[in-house]
Amino acid sequence: MSRPHQYHQPNAPDSPDDDSDSDIELHPQELAPPGAKDGSSLDGASWWDQSSPGSRIPLRNLWVSRTRGSGFQRQDERYGDGDSEGLLQDQSGGRDSEGTLEDSAPLLDPKDRSIAKHASVDESSRRPSSRLKLARFHSSTNSEIPGRTCDVQENTLAGTSRNIIIGQYPPPRFPPNAVSNAKYTAWSFLPRTLYNEFSFFFNLYFLLVALSQLIPPLRIGYVSTYVVPLVFVLFITLGKEALDDVARRRRDAEANKEEYTILRLRDPVKGPGRKGRKNRGSKTPSKRPRSDTASFCPNRLDVIEEEEESVGRDGRICIEVDELRIKSRDIKVGDVVKLGKDQRVPADLVILKCSSADSAADVSSPSQPDANPASIAGRGVDLHRDSSEPNSPMRAGSESDGTGEAFLRTDQLDGETDWKLRVASPLTQSLDPSGFASLRIVAGRPSKKVNEFIGTIEYTPRQPAQLESTDQQGLQIPRTLSAPLTIENTAWANTVLASNATVLAVVIYTGSQTRQAMSTSPPRSKTGLLDCEINTLTKILCALTLSLSIILVALEGFEGDEKMKWYVAITRFLILFSTIIPISLRVNLDMGKSVYAWSIERDQGIPDTIVRTSTIPEELGRIEYLLSDKTGTLTQNEMELKKIHVGTVSYANEAMDEVSSYIRQGFTTGSATDVLQSASLVTPSSSYYNASMGTSTTRTRREIGSRVRDLVLALALCHNVTPTTEEEDGHSFTSYQASSPDEIAIVRWTEQVGLRLIHRDRTGIKLQSVESSRVVVRVRILDVFPFTSEGKRMGIVLQFLQGDGTESAAAEGAGEYWFYQKGADTVMTSIVAANDWLDEETANMAREGYRTLVVGRRRLSAQQYHEFSVKYKEASLSLQSRDARMLRVVKEYLEHNLELLGVTGVEDKLQKDVKPSLELLRNAGIKIWMLTGDKVETARCVAVSAKLVSRTQYIHTITKLTPETPASSALDALSLLRSKPDSTALLIDGDSLMYFLSHHRWEFISIAVLLPAVIACRCSPTQKADIAYLIRQFTKKRVACIGDGGNDVSMIQAADVGVGIVGKEGRQASLAADFSVTSFHHLTKLLVWHGRNSYKRSAKLAQFIIHRGLIISVCQTIYSIAAHFEPNILYRDWLLVGYATVYTMAPVFSLVLDKDVDEGLANLYPELYKELTNGQSLSYRTFFVWVAVSIYQGSIIQGLSQILVGGFKEPGDVKFQQMVSVSFTVLVINELIMVACEIVTWHRIMLASLLGTMAIYIGSVPLLGDYFDLGYVWSWGFAWRVAAISAISLIPPYSLKILRRTLKPPSYRKVQGF
């Protein structure tokens, strides 16, 4: 494959010996394949071999009928090369009885056919783009020509390679370009939500109980008593899910409404309403029928007429370019999108043209001055066009086109902080936008590989002068130019254009087929651990209920009564005891979750926090593993040079003012009236003493000043930064573009200290003194050795201009040759000359969390550089071991014994309060993993600077493991971690991580989960999600993931709790997350405070509701035993419903406002959070304690009520009503006092709910005449019985609780001091 900057023309078929067929007229039998029979498809190559004598039929100039009609599509791509036969056969009436084209019908008599010689079938089939381009003559419907369909049908197969014709109408049927984080559709909502609800055992249990009431023998009381609560629960739960999903859709709609500019390519003769591309921004509807695909293929004669109308007098096809503003969701494959600086890329694009800010205004203009065509021909492409064409779409080498380069920020896609250089193909960079209509792109199938792309772009000129005449009869054949497409020519969705430029790019993948969408896992419904634990407890309660029912029936005897079979009796007991599993439990928990979500969003300490999934706030209190992104999450991705060291002295903070003083003296070039100032360019060999123009400085100060000047000069020259001028609010300023933010930070620092970069291109650099605003350094760039992950260094060979600074002086060999290099200390140590301070100083900077760069230089003579250049060029032409030979030459001539200039320390600015936040989370018992797509060195520095790894921990590094690595070597790398898991952190790269996940998954994860910190570098989005899933699967612990970019979405969705940060570049992570925050340090309050409260409140609420249902079931059991094991109900109808709602619900639900410690203590003692992860607030121990309390209190309440009242015979008599009035009143009072005893921090709402509920109960007693003996209720006998039973049921449990708190106080009591 050719390089990206080279493009080629497919080889044309070999010319025949007899070149007599090059006339402009075609022999008719050259179009009629005599061998085609039975409606076989016409092959564009094979019929050239058929020949016979005959007369000629003159046709119109074939370039006219080239690629006209719908969407500027080419006939050879859409309908085959034999379409002209259809015209001839239409004229001759050659059709079969059914009206279909008969391929075997001869046009003329066989004896009149002439023989023509053409290219071979094999050659033309291998080079389809070099076939003869014929007119697109076809019938009005595709059914008339078998095997011929529009590209719409060809492109509907999303999983295959696609042909993209720019400006095609109608657009191919690919997925819509819409962001969707919704969990449900209109069709899937009910099935999925109902399945999720009834996957909980107690919902299924109550469904069965409600259905049982449809059977008369099992009916107890009113059916509504069992059905209405279940329907209410489902209504509340499904309503919450619906509201959450509607909110997601609204947020998605906001993102999909973002507007972009697209270029509409249209024929001015046709207008937008005919067969040109539909004007989506216009109100003029298309008149073309859209009933089926066939209707898009125009009639043959219509095509001819339209093409004649579209051609100007000079024989040139005119295409007009209009700009439209459309929403992101309306962008289609084939659209040309216009992007500006800091604009998000809406879909996966191939860059066609890139213009700098200076030429951006002309980027969409259809007419531009032509450049010399030799500028492209010199690059190996002969355009064969007339240079005098005034409005050719091919504007090769035009200066206004710029270099075709642009920088993208991809941290939202792959997590890498380095900007990516992207270039337009030279084939399209030289085109006017009107020429895009002649482009065709072949792209591979959609893939999730963000660093790979293979494609081809073809350009077929539409002008007569750009066609080749290869036929003696004058037949003109369009010549197709093609070029390869690589990853360097693409811009993936959700990246951001960082350059101050205007980019024109064509859409190749949209919506779910973009790289980011394919790397993102679909959203899933998340269930909290607390819900799972409660589901397990309800199964235990159901087993107890079944056991109790069987025991009661067995005590009576399985023979039972003739009126009721034993299994019916068991079922009725199950229904009677169904209150043991309270249906109100789910309603109360869901309402509690809504309260927690409301309190989180109303917290002013974490402003703008949004709860997107309100079903899992308790999970915030159970987190044991936190997986965090780096860029934009822990760091701001803003670099700043904080420290330099020049061997004997270092400078940082306020000392940088002294550096500025040295630079001001070292680069002073003369006064404003100095006529020789242009000759005062500074070179590395210039004397610092002369330049400083002073005699009072000491020798030591001059030496230090010279070192500082040399280091700053090296930093200002050794980089790939390009300065650009921008305007904001009417003021112009200089901004910098580069692939790495480190280099921008360094160049900005050199400007701050007095040396500004004002110009850089591929040939030279100019530096300006900030103080005098004069150019003080000019150099020619001879060679550049870019930074690579393997080499870890960057070098440049420069020629300093002297004298008047002209290029002529440099061309004659004048000027100094210098080689500058900077890189990581691990590789530069062996390249620079011997010294005694480099290792120590780089170690000191690394401990401070700085990203260190070692800078060195080497002077070359003209002869040395010439020898190097010759050797390097020879090595670059090697066919074998090219890279190794080039590296060997560089080492031999350049990379040895460099003069060490100094060391720089660059800080990646951390997010606000990251250090204390990580320390607090670590003290809370949370193990923190940092997953990033960035480099190993960068991740190590951030881990140290953010205190993710403490000073006492050793960082064990595992890198460069490949599938060929022996298993023993890989396992040995884990051995050190196994020996000291508490004091060792792991640093691993993506390849090694993939190796372990593929070959030693469980060995790796079993050790990694024990470590206090893990740093994984070069991670893909899929790897991040795999790690989250693996930790969940192996440990069964709660995992939280936090990130800010689109590359973090999969990880966030794979976690138990996903937290998204609203980033600078987009809201993809925030939209897909369960909780959205604006800064990383908000996570600590979200977990330590709100997570603690949510979990402890829900645990207490759940146990109280279970206690409330269990105690009434125990009362029912005691009554059934006293009633000779008859399955009769104790509390009927309203008493049963009112007890769980009006009489107890408000006080019990007020527990969601309780808190055991205040926020200050929770942050001061993060160790309190560690207890929550053990699940002590709701465990089997606490559950069975509450069961015991319920059995005791239920037995006392019902037993003593029956004993103290006594004498009842059957339901309905007076004694029975007196007993019910006593027991039910004590039951309500007992529950209210139990709530009061459990409250730790009183709230006014709690007090109001208790007093209000008691008042409601007392006020409703007169209305309970059907259940109570109202005359007995107002007697002293009722009062003392209620008081005595309440005291006996409440005092013993509360006394035991006080005793336990005294002997073994809980942790929150210890920190409170009592």
Side-chain angles (χ1 to χ4, degrees):
M1 179 177 290
S2 302
R3 296 188 179 186
H5 62 276
Q6 297 175 336
Y7 47 86
H8 61 278
Q9 178 188 7
N11 296 332
D14 297 335
S15 301
D17 297 336
D18 183 9
D19 203 20
S20 62
D21 57 349
S22 61
D23 193 78
I24 193 171
E25 296 180 342
L26 284 180
H27 195 284
Q29 299 309 318
E30 294 175 337
L31 303 175
K37 297 180 180 181
D38 302 327
S40 59
S41 61
L42 302 178
D43 181 68
S46 60
W47 62 271
W48 282 104
D49 291 336
Q50 309 296 332
S51 58
S52 59
S55 59
R56 298 176 178 176
I57 297 179
L59 299 178
R60 67 186 76 251
N61 195 334
L62 287 183
W63 76 265
V64 173
S65 57
R66 173 65 179 81
T67 55
R68 308 303 301 159
S70 66
F72 316 118
Q73 296 167 16
R74 301 169 180 76
Q75 53 82 23
D76 61 310
E77 298 158 359
R78 186 176 284 266
Y79 304 109
D81 287 332
D83 284 331
S84 57
E85 181 185 21
L87 174 65
L88 302 179
Q89 292 192 351
D90 278 351
Q91 295 171 343
S92 62
R95 293 183 178 274
D96 58 15
S97 58
E98 296 181 357
T100 59
L101 180 66
E102 186 177 78
D103 293 338
S104 60
L107 180 67
L108 299 175
D109 190 270
K111 65 182 180 180
D112 295 330
R113 298 174 183 171
S114 61
I115 302 175
K117 299 180 181 180
H118 296 280
S120 65
V121 175
D122 293 340
E123 179 67 20
S124 61
S125 62
R126 288 194 302 267
R127 304 286 186 180
S129 59
S130 63
R131 297 175 187 172
L132 180 63
K133 310 299 182 184
L134 298 177
R136 186 176 57 204
F137 302 141
H138 50 70
S139 58
S140 59
T141 61
N142 283 341
S143 60
E144 297 178 6
I145 303 179
R148 301 180 186 180
T149 58
C150 290
D151 277 349
V152 172
Q153 290 180 338
E154 295 174 2
N155 287 336
T156 54
L157 299 177
T160 60
S161 299
R162 60 186 63 182
N163 297 334
I164 300 167
I165 302 173
I166 298 178
Q168 175 181 343
Y169 173 75
R173 298 174 184 173
F174 294 119
N177 192 50
V179 176
S180 178
N181 291 293
K183 293 182 180 179
Y184 311 105
T185 64
W187 298 104
S188 66
F189 176 73
L190 277 180
R192 289 185 60 185
T193 52
L194 290 177
Y195 173 80
N196 292 334
E197 289 305 307
F198 289 114
S199 63
F200 288 100
F201 177 77
F202 52 81
N203 283 344
L204 182 61
Y205 176 79
F206 275 102
L207 176 63
L208 297 176
V209 170
L211 293 176
S212 70
Q213 296 305 292
L214 301 177
I215 304 173
L218 303 179
R219 186 174 298 164
I220 301 175
Y222 298 114
V223 177
S224 59
T225 305
Y226 301 92
V227 175
V228 172
L230 178 63
V231 173
F232 179 72
V233 168
L234 294 178
F235 178 79
I236 293 297
T237 307
L238 269 62
K240 263 177 92 286
E241 283 290 320
L243 290 176
D244 286 346
D245 212 51
V246 167
R248 293 189 193 96
R249 289 185 176 275
R250 288 176 178 172
R251 292 188 295 267
D252 291 341
E254 292 177 4
N256 293 328
K257 287 180 181 178
E258 185 176 358
E259 290 192 347
Y260 288 87
T261 299
I262 68 165
L263 302 187
R264 182 188 63 173
L265 311 178
R266 67 182 183 90
D267 191 322
V269 176
K270 296 179 183 180
R274 298 181 66 186
K275 297 178 179 61
R277 173 69 186 263
K278 181 181 178 182
N279 182 0
R280 295 200 297 271
S282 171
K283 296 183 178 180
T284 305
S286 176
K287 297 181 180 179
R288 180 170 299 282
R290 305 183 64 173
S291 58
D292 54 56
T293 306
S295 64
F296 295 132
C297 302
N299 182 274
R300 286 177 242 163
L301 297 179
D302 290 344
V303 170
I304 299 173
E305 294 174 359
E306 291 173 359
E307 288 171 348
E308 290 177 336
E309 294 174 358
S310 303
V311 179
R313 294 182 178 179
D314 57 352
R316 189 170 286 108
I317 299 176
C318 300
I319 300 298
E320 291 188 358
V321 181
D322 297 331
E323 291 188 0
L324 302 177
R325 295 286 292 177
I326 65 173
K327 295 179 174 61
S328 174
R329 64 169 179 255
D330 296 327
I331 293 176
K332 309 292 185 184
V333 171
D335 280 341
V336 178
V337 181
K338 181 179 179 181
L339 298 174
K341 183 179 180 183
D342 293 330
Q343 198 167 9
R344 183 181 68 89
V345 178
D348 285 356
L349 311 176
V350 166
I351 297 175
L352 301 178
K353 189 179 186 68
C354 179
S355 300
S356 63
D358 298 333
S359 59
D362 301 328
V363 72
S364 60
S365 176
S367 60
Q368 297 286 351
D370 284 333
N372 187 356
S375 61
I376 285 186
R379 283 178 277 175
V381 177
D382 183 10
L383 296 180
H384 296 276
R385 74 175 178 93
D386 186 357
S387 60
S388 63
E389 297 176 35
N391 293 314
S392 172
M394 176 71 79
R395 299 183 297 108
S398 175
E399 292 182 0
S400 63
D401 291 341
T403 61
E405 297 178 349
F407 286 102
L408 296 179
R409 291 198 296 269
T410 64
D411 52 322
Q412 296 291 307
L413 180 68
D414 54 19
E416 297 188 18
T417 57
D418 292 353
W419 291 3
K420 304 298 188 300
L421 177 63
R422 294 293 184 260
V423 296
S425 172
L427 180 61
T428 58
Q429 175 66 21
S430 56
L431 287 178
D432 184 88
S434 63
F436 292 166
S438 300
L439 292 175
R440 174 177 178 264
I441 293 176
V442 180
R445 66 182 61 189
S447 169
K448 64 173 63 176
K449 298 179 179 179
V450 297
N451 295 319
E452 295 181 12
F453 176 74
I454 297 177
T456 304
I457 188 167
E458 297 179 356
Y459 171 68
T460 303
R462 307 168 64 85
Q463 313 299 342
Q466 292 172 307
L467 304 175
E468 294 183 355
S469 179
T470 59
D471 195 308
Q472 290 183 357
Q473 299 177 4
L475 179 65
Q476 290 179 323
I477 306 175
R479 182 174 184 178
T480 298
L481 304 177
S482 64
L485 295 176
T486 66
I487 187 65
E488 294 182 347
N489 308 118
T490 62
W492 298 143
N494 288 316
T495 58
V496 177
L497 180 62
S499 302
N500 185 23
T502 299
V503 171
L504 300 182
V506 61
V507 179
I508 56 174
Y509 306 113
T510 54
S512 59
Q513 293 181 355
T514 60
R515 289 303 200 265
Q516 182 188 8
M518 297 190 70
S519 299
T520 303
S521 58
R524 63 184 181 93
S525 297
K526 297 182 179 181
T527 302
L529 181 60
L530 183 71
D531 292 329
C532 297
E533 293 170 343
I534 292 175
N535 195 47
T536 302
L537 297 180
T538 55
K539 294 178 182 179
I540 297 175
L541 291 175
C542 183
L544 293 176
T545 303
L546 179 60
S547 302
L548 184 59
S549 301
I550 295 175
I551 292 173
L552 292 177
V553 173
L555 292 175
E556 176 67 15
F558 285 102
E559 293 79 6
D561 192 351
E562 295 181 357
K563 297 181 181 179
M564 186 180 298
K565 299 295 184 181
W566 63 270
Y567 51 84
V568 176
I570 291 177
T571 306
R572 285 177 63 88
F573 273 121
L574 280 173
I575 297 171
L576 288 174
F577 297 147
S578 62
T579 54
I580 291 180
I581 308 173
I583 194 170
S584 60
L585 175 61
R586 188 64 186 275
V587 177
N588 281 270
L589 289 177
D590 286 344
M591 293 174 62
K593 293 174 182 179
S594 299
V595 173
Y596 309 148
W598 179 84
S599 64
I600 291 173
E601 293 182 345
R602 297 268 297 182
D603 192 338
Q604 297 302 317
I606 46 176
D608 300 324
T609 298
I610 301 174
V611 180
R612 304 199 188 280
T613 305
S614 59
T615 57
I616 56 172
E618 304 93 349
E619 297 296 276
L620 295 171
R622 308 288 295 277
I623 302 301
E624 295 193 48
Y625 291 91
L626 175 64
L627 276 55
S628 174
D629 179 41
K630 179 188 73 68
T631 307
T633 303
L634 298 179
T635 68
Q636 302 179 29
N637 196 25
E638 295 181 5
M639 309 297 176
E640 182 179 2
L641 193 148
K642 303 289 288 187
K643 188 176 183 179
I644 64 170
H645 194 285
V646 293
T648 56
V649 63
S650 63
Y651 298 92
N653 302 322
E654 292 80 6
M656 291 299 182
D657 294 337
E658 189 172 355
V659 175
S660 301
S661 175
Y662 287 133
I663 298 303
R664 186 167 53 253
Q665 297 173 6
F667 288 94
T668 299
T669 58
S671 63
T673 59
D674 190 352
V675 295
L676 299 177
Q677 64 177 12
S678 62
S680 302
L681 296 178
V682 177
T683 67
S685 60
S686 299
S687 172
Y688 179 81
Y689 174 77
N690 292 337
S692 63
M693 296 187 303
T695 58
S696 61
T697 56
T698 64
R699 178 178 179 181
T700 302
R701 182 173 176 81
R702 289 196 300 271
E703 290 178 353
I704 295 176
S706 177
R707 292 182 182 180
V708 170
R709 185 198 66 176
D710 292 341
L711 176 60
V712 173
L713 178 61
L715 294 175
L717 294 173
C718 186
H719 54 73
N720 63 356
V721 179
T722 302
T724 59
T725 302
E726 300 183 19
E727 287 191 7
E728 184 174 340
D729 298 331
H731 302 283
S732 61
F733 63 94
T734 301
S735 64
Y736 299 107
Q737 300 172 1
S739 63
S740 172
D742 300 58
E743 297 205 321
I744 294 179
I746 292 174
V747 172
R748 283 177 177 168
W749 177 82
T750 62
E751 181 181 2
Q752 292 173 2
V753 297
L755 194 59
R756 178 186 295 130
L757 174 67
I758 61 171
H759 173 76
R760 180 199 167 102
D761 55 24
R762 295 181 177 180
T763 61
I765 300 175
K766 294 180 182 179
L767 302 181
Q768 180 188 69
S769 172
V770 174
E771 182 185 28
S772 62
S773 299
R774 297 185 180 90
V775 176
V776 293
V777 176
R778 290 190 62 192
V779 298
R780 286 183 60 204
I781 300 176
L782 303 179
D783 292 285
V784 177
F785 311 99
F787 179 90
T788 62
S789 299
E790 294 76 19
K792 300 181 182 179
R793 58 192 184 275
M794 181 262 180
I796 187 170
V797 178
L798 304 171
Q799 182 184 14
F800 284 81
L801 304 187
Q802 296 174 317
D804 58 0
T806 59
E807 298 288 344
S808 59
E812 297 173 357
E816 304 172 6
Y817 292 84
W818 288 86
F819 168 64
Y820 288 96
Q821 189 170 62
K822 65 181 180 184
D825 59 289
T826 54
V827 296
M828 292 295 292
T829 302
S830 60
I831 296 176
V832 299
N835 60 88
D836 57 357
W837 59 269
L838 178 60
D839 293 339
E840 180 181 359
E841 186 56 33
T842 54
N844 292 336
M845 289 189 180
R847 279 192 291 269
E848 296 179 44
Y850 295 146
R851 305 167 72 165
T852 58
L853 285 175
V854 178
V855 185
R857 69 178 183 180
R858 178 183 179 85
R859 183 168 184 175
L860 305 173
S861 64
Q863 181 179 359
Q864 286 176 326
Y865 175 74
H866 177 71
E867 293 177 0
F868 161 76
S869 181
V870 172
K871 294 287 187 181
Y872 191 74
K873 184 176 182 180
E874 291 177 356
S876 65
L877 299 176
S878 301
L879 298 179
Q880 296 180 349
S881 304
R882 176 183 299 176
D883 293 340
R885 293 185 180 184
M886 293 169 66
L887 181 60
R888 193 180 307 118
V889 172
V890 172
K891 286 183 175 293
E892 179 182 354
Y893 286 89
L894 303 178
E895 291 185 344
H896 61 87
N897 291 328
L898 298 187
E899 177 188 354
L900 178 59
L901 297 178
V903 180
T904 65
V906 177
E907 179 188 45
D908 190 352
K909 292 183 179 179
L910 299 176
Q911 294 281 0
K912 180 182 177 182
D913 295 335
V914 162
K915 293 181 181 179
S917 298
L918 290 176
E919 184 178 1
L920 187 147
L921 294 174
R922 190 165 49 244
N923 293 335
I926 299 176
K927 295 180 173 63
I928 304 172
W929 291 39
M930 185 174 75
L931 311 180
T932 177
D934 222 328
K935 300 185 290 292
V936 173
E937 294 78 10
T938 303
R940 181 193 296 271
C941 292
V942 171
V944 173
S945 62
K947 307 302 181 186
L948 177 64
V949 178
S950 65
R951 294 181 179 271
T952 60
Q953 291 174 348
Y954 166 73
I955 301 179
H956 182 60
T957 304
I958 301 177
T959 57
K960 299 182 180 179
L961 295 184
T962 62
E964 292 76 22
T965 303
S968 57
S969 300
L971 295 177
D972 288 343
L974 298 176
S975 59
L976 179 62
L977 299 175
R978 192 181 300 274
S979 61
K980 297 180 179 179
D982 296 331
S983 60
T984 305
L986 173 63
L987 176 62
I988 187 170
D989 64 357
D991 293 337
S992 303
L993 181 62
M994 181 179 294
Y995 173 83
F996 281 119
L997 295 181
S998 302
H999 299 87
H1000 307 288
R1001 175 181 292 257
W1002 297 113
E1003 292 87 346
F1004 169 76
I1005 197 65
S1006 62
I1007 298 176
V1009 295
L1010 301 177
L1011 304 177
V1014 176
I1015 303 101
C1017 314
R1018 295 296 186 186
C1019 286
S1020 66
T1022 304
Q1023 282 181 326
K1024 293 183 178 182
D1026 289 343
I1027 292 174
Y1029 175 77
L1030 188 60
I1031 296 175
R1032 289 176 48 221
Q1033 185 182 31
F1034 182 81
T1035 63
K1036 309 300 181 184
K1037 305 294 186 181
R1038 301 291 95 179
V1039 177
C1041 294
I1042 182 171
D1044 74 314
N1047 60 313
D1048 303 317
V1049 171
S1050 293
M1051 174 182 70
I1052 287 172
Q1053 293 178 340
D1056 296 299
V1057 176
V1059 182
I1061 297 178
V1062 181
K1064 296 180 180 179
E1065 316 302 343
R1067 299 184 300 165
Q1068 295 81 21
S1070 170
L1071 293 175
D1074 304 309
F1075 300 88
S1076 172
V1077 297
T1078 57
S1079 181
F1080 180 85
H1081 75 280
H1082 292 167
L1083 181 65
T1084 58
K1085 187 171 187 179
L1086 199 63
L1087 298 181
V1088 175
W1089 176 240
H1090 289 288
R1092 175 184 183 83
N1093 289 336
S1094 299
Y1095 170 62
K1096 291 188 74 69
R1097 290 167 176 174
S1098 288
K1100 185 179 291 187
L1101 179 64
Q1103 292 178 120
F1104 242 102
I1105 294 174
I1106 291 175
H1107 164 265
R1108 186 179 63 187
L1110 191 56
I1111 193 173
I1112 197 173
S1113 297
V1114 172
C1115 293
Q1116 176 68 52
T1117 303
I1118 300 299
Y1119 168 72
S1120 297
I1121 294 174
H1124 306 289
F1125 307 103
E1126 289 292 333
N1128 295 324
I1129 191 167
L1130 175 61
Y1131 305 120
R1132 296 182 295 112
D1133 304 333
W1134 169 251
L1135 294 183
L1136 188 63
V1137 175
Y1139 171 75
T1141 55
V1142 178
Y1143 299 144
T1144 60
M1145 183 174 180
V1148 172
F1149 186 72
S1150 68
L1151 291 173
V1152 300
L1153 302 175
D1154 191 20
K1155 55 184 180 182
D1156 54 357
V1157 295
D1158 59 25
E1159 184 179 349
L1161 285 176
N1163 291 325
L1164 185 60
Y1165 299 99
E1167 293 79 7
L1168 293 173
Y1169 185 87
K1170 191 181 302 184
E1171 295 181 349
L1172 305 180
T1173 60
N1174 299 327
Q1176 294 181 0
S1177 297
L1178 179 62
S1179 61
Y1180 287 118
R1181 185 187 64 81
T1182 59
F1183 168 71
F1184 284 111
V1185 167
W1186 278 100
V1187 169
V1189 171
S1190 302
I1191 293 175
Y1192 167 78
Q1193 291 182 334
S1195 301
I1196 293 296
I1197 292 172
Q1198 185 60 31
L1200 291 181
S1201 296
Q1202 294 177 176
I1203 293 172
L1204 295 179
V1205 175
F1208 68 92
K1209 295 181 179 179
E1210 59 182 18
D1213 62 9
V1214 175
K1215 284 294 184 180
F1216 178 81
Q1217 290 183 338
Q1218 291 177 0
M1219 181 270 296
V1220 170
S1221 62
V1222 171
S1223 65
F1224 189 79
T1225 301
V1226 174
L1227 199 62
V1228 172
I1229 294 174
N1230 179 84
E1231 196 68 20
L1232 297 182
I1233 296 178
M1234 285 290 292
V1235 170
C1237 293
E1238 287 296 321
I1239 293 176
V1240 178
T1241 304
W1242 281 88
H1243 193 280
R1244 61 179 180 273
I1245 295 179
M1246 295 177 174
L1247 184 61
S1249 64
L1250 285 170
L1251 297 178
T1253 299
M1254 193 65 204
I1256 290 174
Y1257 176 71
I1258 294 173
S1260 66
V1261 169
L1263 305 177
L1264 302 177
D1266 293 340
Y1267 313 105
F1268 293 173
D1269 181 359
L1270 297 181
Y1272 178 75
V1273 169
W1274 305 114
S1275 65
W1276 284 108
F1278 173 82
W1280 74 262
R1281 287 178 175 86
V1282 169
I1285 297 173
S1286 298
I1288 297 173
S1289 66
L1290 288 169
I1291 292 176
Y1294 187 72
S1295 300
L1296 292 175
K1297 181 179 179 180
I1298 296 297
L1299 180 62
R1300 184 178 180 276
R1301 283 184 178 179
T1302 303
L1303 298 177
K1304 189 179 180 181
S1307 299
Y1308 72 88
R1309 290 282 179 176
K1310 296 178 181 178
V1311 299
Q1312 289 175 337
F1314 59 89

